[in-house]
Amino acid sequence: MRAEIEALAADIRKSVALLKRHLNWDAALMRLDELNAQAEDPNLWNDGERAQKLMRERTQLDTQVSGCRRLDSEMDQLLELIELAEAEGDSEVAADAEGQLRGLKDLAGKLELETLLSGEADSNDCYMEINSGAGGTEAQDWAEMLLRMYSRWAEQHGYKVEYLEESAGEGAGIKSATIRVLGHNAYGWLKTEAGVHRLVRISPFDSNARRQTSFASVWVYPVVDDTIDIQINESDCRIDTYRASGAGGQHINKTDSAVRITHLPTNIAVACQTERSQHQNRARAWQMLRARMYEAELQKREAAAQALEETKTDIGWGHQIRSYVLQPYQMIKDLRTNVETSDTQAVLDGDLDMFMAASLASRIKGSDEAAV
């Protein structure tokens, strides 16, 4: 068998070994058996909160164990198929199996990276806020492009997207929007996207077709459940109600009972207009505020442990994490990891994995170095 095939197999075996070591394989199998047995208990759902927690743990562990087993099984089958095809001189079958083996290597790398999403809230759903910055109508259009990009990414990865708040731009696009992304490890992946995003292009709003630079910010924070104690004094908050002003259509359910809550000591503000009643919007907004306060605490811990660069800064020059250049050439570059691509349309259509993986890997590396 060719050395190239053996190298692919070796990489897959290395990833599987790391995954199993991280899971503490024997203990993980025992725990999964326990969770499966508890899930069959007819009295489990007498305590809904405990049942949901147990089922989340079971689903996560089952996904990780199944992933390891799949890698082992499919790799053995493909190696056997390649060996038989080469012995019989069937180059077409051998080439197809080799392609599948490369795909398996990519999957192993992704699972390896995903397993390292071990932060306190990495497995949670998350909220994402997008705000237009310097650039007027241009920036508002850019903010809507980012909203579309992240919605596409989420849908491509099997995540559900809920549109919670949207403020329409004056001429085009949006001033701001908030979405909730639901799915395992949503926060772990999307937290790497927090920061300022810069766009350079020929303006579609300029009759002289001049090149324009626009900015928009992305903030990401985890959804927290009731077991996490976040103390907020209502006297520290200002609550405003207003008519929903989103674009409507598929994005949002317009109502006359939108709610915005501002935590005055920190100036953290959240808004919700997706529900049909002011009471429901108020309850969702309080939940969002608790999540923002929790995320702020996580940021403090992370900054203290790793001295990470600040990502929530002014929305303008000198603070961007990624540049999207559409004119005079096609290039998107992440300024933290130096990962870049010329396939700008694919990225704007949601192909963000290369940037997320590199950013996450750099964080993990930094954490490992800090621990030494």
Side-chain angles (χ1 to χ4, degrees), residues 223-237:
V223 174
V224 297
D225 57 34
D226 293 335
T227 63
I228 297 176
D229 185 24
I230 304 295
Q231 297 293 333
I232 302 175
N233 294 324
E234 289 195 33
S235 60
D236 290 336
C237 299

Side-chain angles (χ1 to χ4, degrees), residues 130-147 169-175 197-217 315 324 326-327:
I130 299 173
N131 294 281
S132 62
T137 300
E138 284 285 340
Q140 292 167 12
D141 186 56
W142 173 223
E144 186 169 47
M145 291 169 64
L146 286 175
L147 177 61
E170 295 169 359
I174 57 173
K175 293 179 181 178
H197 297 248
R198 169 178 173 255
L199 172 70
V200 180
R201 65 173 174 174
I202 298 298
S203 172
F205 307 101
D206 188 334
S207 59
N208 295 317
R210 289 173 294 189
R211 190 171 60 173
Q212 298 284 347
T213 299
S214 309
F215 298 91
S217 72
I315 310 176
Y324 304 70
L326 307 185
Q327 292 287 344

Side-chain angles (χ1 to χ4, degrees), residues 51-124:
Q52 290 180 7
K53 183 177 180 181
L54 184 147
M55 295 305 290
R56 282 197 299 269
E57 181 186 358
R58 175 176 176 252
T59 298
Q60 178 179 350
L61 191 56
D62 183 60
T63 298
Q64 293 171 331
V65 169
S66 298
C68 288
R69 286 172 169 165
R70 174 188 169 187
L71 290 173
D72 274 334
S73 175
E74 292 191 13
M75 181 186 67
D76 289 341
Q77 292 175 18
L78 289 170
L79 289 176
E80 184 178 351
L81 180 59
I82 291 172
E83 186 175 357
L84 288 172
E86 289 182 342
E88 296 176 2
D90 193 334
S91 58
E92 184 176 344
V93 171
D96 180 65
E98 183 178 344
Q100 293 183 57
L101 194 64
R102 292 183 187 281
L104 201 63
K105 177 182 177 296
D106 292 340
L107 175 62
K110 181 180 179 181
L111 290 176
E112 179 181 334
L113 193 60
E114 195 167 78
T115 301
L116 297 176
L117 290 171
S118 55
E120 187 172 351
D122 281 353
S123 63
N124 292 24

Side-chain angles (χ1 to χ4, degrees), residues 177-188:
T178 303
I179 61 174
R180 176 172 175 171
V181 182
L182 298 89
H184 179 61
N185 283 337
Y187 176 66

